[in-house]
Amino acid sequence: QHGVHVRPEERRRALEALGYLKGGTNPSLGESLGKVGGIDPKRGVAELAKLDQLSLLIAQRRGAEALALYDQIESRGFPVLLLGAAAALRAQQPERAEHEARLALALIERPEQLATVGDALVQGGRLAEARASYERAAALDPERAPGWLGLGVIAELEGQRDEAARRYEQVRALPVPSPEALWRLAALQIEAGRRDEARALLAEVPQAELRTPGAAERLARAERSTGQP
């Protein structure tokens, strides 16, 4: 499964959307709780706990549990909606993921939301529509990875290996490259018999990323294609 786009800054924006972060927080003191307008502190802490647990469940790929927890969170600010879309993707519910991501897009159009819509469409087998969403993400901010990465994934699914490699190289050259693009490119290099290039690419990828199911499965499939154990 193509990676789900949930970043650390998304969590902070989620907290802001819920109203639990005050401006000008001091990093040395941690995040400042409270909501202007007199929110019940007990409710605020409970919602924060749900957000933390939701992020953890998504990271652990426990999609059904994550989606059930998401439905208990009252706020529907755009970063929270994006977390809901990620949970739905983990739960293999592409229509729900698309719905939540499009709700987020209706609030603010950003590459991450567009890419998440694309991820949902890919999961649902709607590649032509997914391509359009990824192209929009890439056009909106060419310096961000999600759109280019998604276009590479579609090229791979359609058997266009050279085009996929070109897209992954584009991502690699960005100021903040995506680790997923690197291991996907490495897999293509393995399949092409270019093991030295693949090893160099994999050396740039954090070990934790290589242990994710998507990376491990794709690289194992590349090895099997060459007849290697």
Side-chain angles (χ1 to χ4, degrees), residues 1-4 61 85-98 115-127 130 134 153-154 157:
Q1 178 181 304
H2 180 25
V4 176
R61 299 176 180 268
L89 282 172
R90 295 294 197 217
Q92 298 293 307
Q93 295 190 26
E95 291 184 1
R96 177 74 189 277
E98 181 188 357
T116 301
V117 169
D119 295 347
L121 293 168
V122 167
Q123 195 177 88
R126 296 153 61 190
L127 298 188
Y134 291 137
V153 170
I154 288 180
L157 291 171

Side-chain angles (χ1 to χ4, degrees), residues 64-214:
E65 294 172 72
L67 193 55
L69 180 59
Y70 168 72
D71 286 334
Q72 298 175 27
I73 297 173
E74 293 183 15
S75 171
R76 285 297 182 263
F78 82 92
V80 182
L81 288 165
L82 200 58
L83 287 172
L89 282 172
R90 295 294 197 217
Q92 298 293 307
Q93 295 190 26
E95 291 184 1
R96 177 74 189 277
E98 181 188 357
H99 175 73
E100 301 302 318
R102 289 197 185 280
L103 287 176
L105 275 175
L107 298 176
I108 301 178
E109 187 179 45
R110 298 175 61 242
E112 285 77 15
Q113 281 95 321
L114 287 160
T116 301
V117 169
D119 295 347
L121 293 168
V122 167
Q123 195 177 88
R126 296 153 61 190
L127 298 188
E129 294 170 78
R131 180 182 290 105
S133 191
Y134 291 137
E135 286 174 346
R136 174 60 184 158
L140 192 63
D141 190 345
E143 294 298 298
R144 301 288 289 275
W148 304 120
L149 175 62
L151 290 171
V153 170
I154 288 180
E156 261 199 89
L157 291 171
E158 294 179 336
Q160 300 176 20
R161 300 163 63 83
D162 290 344
E163 174 66 9
R166 186 174 74 85
R167 294 301 189 187
Y168 298 148
E169 288 284 8
Q170 276 185 279
V171 177
R172 187 186 185 193
L174 293 177
V176 183
S178 163
E180 182 177 348
L182 298 178
W183 57 254
R184 286 187 176 276
L185 181 57
L188 292 174
Q189 299 284 29
I190 290 170
E191 291 168 345
R194 295 190 286 269
R195 290 188 170 273
D196 288 343
E197 291 91 334
R199 278 193 290 270
L201 285 165
L202 292 175
E204 300 177 31
V205 182
Q207 286 299 308
E209 173 74 16
L210 292 177
R211 288 193 294 269
T212 62

Side-chain angles (χ1 to χ4, degrees), residues 53-54 56-68 87 90-91:
Q53 183 66 14
L54 175 58
L56 179 62
L57 290 171
I58 291 171
Q60 293 175 338
R61 299 176 180 268
R62 294 160 61 184
E65 294 172 72
L67 193 55
R90 295 294 197 217

